[in-house]
């Protein structure tokens, strides 16, 4: 019997089943939190609020927190929505910034990458970190997935904020 203490783990992923999917990343980001939660860990998931993430279908409600990120000297704000992964008690947060995510595709249009993907996912990486702080829930582990959220580790390291002192990144 494993008696290790439960960890608080937040997943930052650009796609998560059943909310948004283009490939295997969404499958992993949807299944791994469930497996860790079943082991007794306190897990949260954050993803962008794409057009495909229907707020009504998934029971999202608006949180009072708003996140503000500066990119290239321009301040961008995002709205935070909260729900749960269906058939679980795992909180999931969708960060909405319509100019960046209100599009038909997640990463591409007609087979061509969106030219502003760097800005889109830099915003999401920073906004995810800010949302966690504003929620007042301090994770032991920040688990990022794929290139879309890798910048969160750089922002995390550069911030050197007391809030993150005991948090590890994966």
């Amino acid at each position: 019997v494993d008696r290790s203490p439960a960890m608080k783990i937040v997943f930052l992923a650009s796609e998560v089943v059943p909310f948004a999917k283009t490939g295997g990343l969404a499958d992993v980001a949807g299944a791994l939190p469930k497996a860790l939660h079943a082991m007794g860990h306190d897990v949260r998931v954050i993803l962008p609020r794409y057009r495909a993430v229907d707020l009504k279908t998934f029971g999202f409600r608006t949180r009072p927190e708003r996140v503000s990120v500066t990119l290239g000297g321009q301040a961008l704000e995002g709205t935070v929505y909260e729900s749960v992964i269906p058939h679980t008690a795992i909180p999931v947060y969708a960060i909405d910034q319509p100019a960046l995510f209100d599009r038909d595709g997640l990463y591409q249009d007609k087979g061509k990458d969106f030219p502003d993907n760097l800005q889109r996912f830099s915003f999401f990486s920073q906004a995810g970190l800010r949302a966690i702080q504003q929620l007042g829930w301090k994770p032991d582990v920040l688990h990022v997935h794929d290139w879309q959220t890798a910048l969160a580790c750089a922002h995390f390291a550069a911030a050197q904020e007391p809030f993150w002192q005991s948090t590890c990144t994966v």
Side-chain angles (χ1 to χ4, degrees), residues 64-144:
E65 299 85 5
R66 294 198 42 90
V67 290
S68 182
V69 171
T70 302
L71 288 177
Q74 179 186 6
L76 294 172
E77 281 207 348
T79 302
V80 179
Y81 292 94
E82 179 180 29
S83 187
V84 294
I85 294 178
H87 313 294
T88 76
I90 301 169
V92 61
Y93 304 96
I95 298 178
D96 192 19
Q97 206 311 311
L100 299 176
F101 299 113
D102 187 14
R103 302 172 185 192
D104 287 331
L106 305 191
Y107 315 116
Q108 301 178 338
D109 182 38
K110 298 176 184 144
K112 295 192 81 167
D113 286 350
F114 291 122
D116 62 346
N117 275 343
L118 174 60
Q119 290 83 10
R120 296 171 72 223
F121 294 105
S122 181
F123 168 84
F124 174 64
S125 293
Q126 292 180 69
L129 294 174
R130 292 205 171 96
I132 295 162
Q133 287 179 281
Q134 290 178 357
L135 293 168
W137 182 81
K138 188 173 180 170
D140 299 307
V141 178
L142 169 66
H143 195 294
V144 302

Side-chain angles (χ1 to χ4, degrees), residues 7-12 32 36 125 128-129 132 138-146 149-161 163-170:
M7 291 187 292
K8 294 167 76 175
I9 306 165
V10 63
F11 288 83
L12 200 58
L32 186 55
L36 291 169
S125 293
L129 294 174
I132 295 162
K138 188 173 180 170
D140 299 307
V141 178
L142 169 66
H143 195 294
V144 302
H145 294 268
D146 219 343
T149 57
L151 281 174
C153 293
H155 295 303
F156 172 92
Q160 296 185 357
E161 295 177 25
F163 178 86
W164 297 106
Q165 281 183 337
S166 61
T167 303
C168 299
T169 58
V170 176

Side-chain angles (χ1 to χ4, degrees), residues 13-30:
S14 62
E15 54 185 90
V16 179
V17 162
F19 308 103
K21 174 181 167 73
T22 63
L25 169 60
D27 296 324
V28 170

